[in-house]
Amino acid sequence: MNVARHILATLSLIPASHAMADSTSYPLTLTNCGMEVHFQSAPNSTVTVGQSATEILYALGLADRVAGTSVWFNPVLPQFRDVNADIERIADNDPSFEAVVNKKPDLVATQYEWHIGPTGSVATRRQFHDLGIATYIMPADCDTKDNATGGDGTRIAAFSPDSVYKGINELATIFDVQDAGAALVADLEAREARAIANAEGLELPEDLSAVFWFSSPELSAAPYVAGRLGAPGYIMDKLGIRNVIQSDEEWPTVGWESIAKADPDVIVVAHMDRRRYPADAVDKKHEFLHSDPVTREMAAVKNGHIIEMDAHAMSATMRTIFGLETLADALSTLSFDR
């Protein structure tokens, strides 16, 4: 069953007294990632900078309001393939400020504050606001997170899907489609509960450990691995897995010697279409793990406990719930006899 059908099915189960949410009252003012944003009416045209914002708008039935997309890690979800094919992808990675502005959007919705924020790589929020273009940053990238530390930021508290659900509900309010937002959140919450229940039924070892490898600037360089408080940390916590990386940074670099010393039971590797770094390619990750004199001696490599996951699911997005499902399903096929 695809997301759209899930939404309709979930909505049909909501009692009639609660099924219809209040309509948005404009003008609307929201505080988003520390800045007030104002809407005189629902935006007619939006440019997305980040796959998370794109897929949430599609899931809310708002594809006709999306004028352009950018920053993609994985193919769009299958149920949105047709609508996405008709929308211009203005950049696979970071778009230019001019490319975004030239689409004449009413709103720019972004996944990461480092793209559109105080020192945005695309532009600052003020630059867009000065042109009368509203901006919205997904709360999952600023709630419980300090992006002023550089790089991918540092979590000041553990990520929770509640920040994703907050973003869904706020976008639904901005566009006055609250019923679709409530149904999407209900569907994701149900999937989350099922994945956790399935994992509990596996009776995994109590001391099971893992590391999540996103990519590396060079294959032999220290990899970008998941810190303990981000989306992968949430996935591991819900499945009762210990993260061998204890940093609060979102994606710290940690040497393979240190990772090998921790010797995690499972290595989760990111699968993505992006090719910014050599290690973006998942086959290169596998090749390195099996050939490097340090990594090939790790228990996870010797035992074949290497699990692939969409890179986008490793970010704080609605796909994090899909990543939870992916890992729970994969663990059910592995043996951990010790």
Side-chain angles (χ1 to χ4, degrees), residues 183-195:
L184 176 58
V185 169
D187 175 63
L188 292 169
E189 288 177 329
R191 293 180 68 162
E192 176 187 17
R194 283 195 300 270

Side-chain angles (χ1 to χ4, degrees), residues 48-52 54 69-74 89 91-95 110-112 114-115 122 276 312:
T48 55
V49 181
Q51 190 168 350
S52 175
T54 306
T69 70
S70 57
V71 188
W72 290 84
F73 287 102
N74 293 106
R89 181 179 294 198
D92 290 332
N93 295 305
D94 296 11
T110 184
Q111 178 174 341
Y112 297 115
W114 62 270
H115 277 135
V122 176
R276 179 175 292 177
H312 196 42

Side-chain angles (χ1 to χ4, degrees), residues 70-151:
S70 57
V71 188
W72 290 84
F73 287 102
N74 293 106
V76 71
L77 289 167
Q79 60 268 32
F80 304 132
R81 219 173 266 148
D82 290 344
V83 295
N84 185 66
D86 294 330
I87 297 172
E88 181 183 358
R89 181 179 294 198
I90 59 177
D92 290 332
N93 295 305
D94 296 11
S96 67
F97 176 62
E98 292 76 14
V100 175
V101 170
N102 285 345
K103 299 302 293 183
K104 296 181 172 58
D106 301 314
L107 170 67
V108 176
T110 184
Q111 178 174 341
Y112 297 115
E113 191 172 23
W114 62 270
H115 277 135
I116 299 174
T119 58
S121 63
V122 176
T124 65
R125 302 184 81 175
R126 182 58 58 196
Q127 284 176 278
F128 283 110
H129 294 183
D130 286 347
L131 296 176
I133 301 171
T135 60
Y136 184 85
I137 302 170
M138 300 309 299
D141 194 58
C142 56
D143 288 2
T144 75
K145 189 179 177 194
D146 181 4
N147 289 310
T149 61

Side-chain angles (χ1 to χ4, degrees), residues 54-257:
T54 306
E55 291 186 332
I56 287 174
L57 291 177
Y58 290 171
L60 292 175
L62 297 167
D64 63 334
R65 308 287 185 95
V66 180
T69 70
S70 57
V71 188
W72 290 84
F73 287 102
N74 293 106
V76 71
L77 289 167
Q79 60 268 32
F80 304 132
R81 219 173 266 148
D82 290 344
V83 295
N84 185 66
D86 294 330
I87 297 172
E88 181 183 358
R89 181 179 294 198
I90 59 177
D92 290 332
N93 295 305
D94 296 11
S96 67
F97 176 62
E98 292 76 14
V100 175
V101 170
N102 285 345
K103 299 302 293 183
K104 296 181 172 58
D106 301 314
L107 170 67
V108 176
T110 184
Q111 178 174 341
Y112 297 115
E113 191 172 23
W114 62 270
H115 277 135
I116 299 174
T119 58
S121 63
V122 176
T124 65
R125 302 184 81 175
R126 182 58 58 196
Q127 284 176 278
F128 283 110
H129 294 183
D130 286 347
L131 296 176
I133 301 171
T135 60
Y136 184 85
I137 302 170
M138 300 309 299
D141 194 58
C142 56
D143 288 2
T144 75
K145 189 179 177 194
D146 181 4
N147 289 310
T149 61
D152 292 300
T154 300
R155 289 281 170 186
I156 56 177
F159 160 79
S160 165
D162 288 346
S163 61
V164 175
Y165 304 152
K166 175 183 176 181
I168 291 170
N169 285 323
E170 288 188 339
L171 283 172
T173 299
I174 290 168
F175 285 90
D176 197 15
V177 290
Q178 289 91 325
D179 292 334
L184 176 58
V185 169
D187 175 63
L188 292 169
E189 288 177 329
R191 293 180 68 162
E192 176 187 17
R194 283 195 300 270
I196 294 170
N198 290 342
E200 289 173 347
L202 298 178
E203 298 183 355
L204 299 169
E206 291 186 5
D207 60 342
L208 195 67
S209 62
V211 65
F212 277 56
W213 178 17
F214 191 84
S215 190
S216 307
E218 297 292 340
L219 277 167
S220 59
Y224 295 111
V225 290
R228 67 188 183 96
L229 298 178
Y234 152 80
I235 291 173
M236 284 183 269
D237 180 66
K238 290 300 180 182
L239 300 182
I241 301 170
R242 177 175 57 87
N243 187 355
V244 300
I245 307 301
Q246 289 297 295
S247 172
D248 291 350
E249 290 183 50
E250 193 86 339
W251 291 100
T253 54
V254 179
W256 281 113
E257 293 79 5

